[in-house]
Amino acid sequence: MVRLNGPRWELELGGEGYPQSLVELQNPPEVLRGIGDREVLSGPCLAVIGARRATPYGIAAAELAGRVAAECGVTVVSGGAMGCDYAAGMAAAAAGGRTIVVAGTGADVPYPASSAPVFQAAVDSGAVVSLERWGQTPRRYAFPRRNAVVAALCKVLVITEAGQVSGTMSTADAALELGRTLYAIPGSIFSPNSSGTNRLAAEGARIIPDEASLELAISMDFGVARFCSQGERPAAGPVLSALVACPSRPDELAARLNEDVLTLLRTLTDHEARGLVERLPDGRYSPTKEYLLGQND
């Protein structure tokens, strides 16, 4: 089992360094254990959370949110899960920002094992914190408590991609109970992965339709300025425009665009070779996260 190395510490409820934001919880943890720099807990924090089994769109949205927050000097918090949490944390670290992972295991036990890089990135550029004892392996009861701590630590939660029933939505509910601000990055109305996010937007969460809106929202809510800005994404053709709206199978896409299937398959093959689209496990094609982040020419 992978274990994290770094300076360990424990903060007791009511003691020095204990995050005041956690006191707002109905049952604040008696002890918060962590590895890394505990001072990061006192700075401005924004959570970026989303689906574990994320689509390329969800991954791209999470990376965008993590990067923009880091470039604004705001610490990015997540649960360290695979998918959107992992993408946001790694993007924040790559941008030179600070990140916090709230573990559902002991703070020294990365879970899942595939998330070890984002846990280590948090130790190197922020902290990994946990309510659990050192060395504690995964327990189902621990993750709802973990989600509440994620919500409490932050002033703002960014929901990148979430179904109606998910851990992401439970974290959003906890945030609302604590009076935190929610940002919702909307997705296709046909995508079950975005149904929860879209519902939050309909119910009053701040809608983030593009990168400029995210930068403006963070600047207003945290009183900070971004250190750099990105250029606009290159224009999309009809195939990419249709896939951005809704990942589709070739026959569905051909019917929608009134194209011959063989011609469309050649286009998809070309786009796939150029890194613009990828084939999902269920046979649908989707724009790659690299395209969605505007990195392709």
Side-chain angles (χ1 to χ4, degrees), residues 24-219:
E24 300 177 43
L25 289 168
Q26 186 173 0
N27 295 300
E30 293 291 332
V31 179
L32 187 69
R33 299 173 178 85
I35 304 177
D37 181 8
R38 68 181 188 179
E39 297 299 322
V40 73
L41 298 171
S42 61
C45 293
L46 171 151
V48 182
I49 57 175
R52 289 180 292 123
R53 294 180 176 84
T55 67
Y57 174 81
I59 296 294
E63 288 190 0
L64 172 67
R67 173 169 53 82
V68 172
E71 290 170 355
C72 288
V74 177
T75 298
V76 173
V77 180
S78 79
M82 61 183 182
C84 293
D85 288 24
Y86 182 94
M90 294 302 288
R98 312 195 78 185
T99 182
I100 297 171
V101 168
V102 183
T105 54
D108 56 338
V109 181
Y111 179 81
S114 60
S115 286
V118 77
F119 276 70
Q120 189 59 56
V123 171
D124 295 339
S125 66
V128 175
V129 300
S130 175
L131 285 64
E132 309 306 316
R133 296 180 178 179
W134 300 110
Q136 179 64 61
T137 53
R139 296 290 187 272
R140 182 172 296 181
Y141 71 81
F143 292 94
R145 301 200 309 167
R146 183 275 305 272
N147 294 345
V149 170
V150 170
L153 281 175
C154 302
K155 181 177 183 179
V156 169
L157 266 76
V158 183
I159 314 300
T160 57
E161 186 176 52
Q164 290 278 9
V165 180
S166 62
T168 300
M169 293 298 286
S170 71
T171 307
D173 289 340
L176 289 172
E177 290 177 4
L178 291 165
R180 304 301 191 251
T181 299
L182 293 188
Y183 297 172
I185 298 180
S188 168
I189 62 173
F190 301 107
S191 173
N193 291 62
S194 291
S195 59
T197 317
N198 291 344
R199 179 171 67 81
L200 289 172
E203 293 176 353
R206 181 162 187 167
I207 299 172
I208 304 297
D210 52 35
E211 182 171 343
S213 298
L214 176 61
E215 179 180 353
L216 177 62
I218 292 174
S219 297

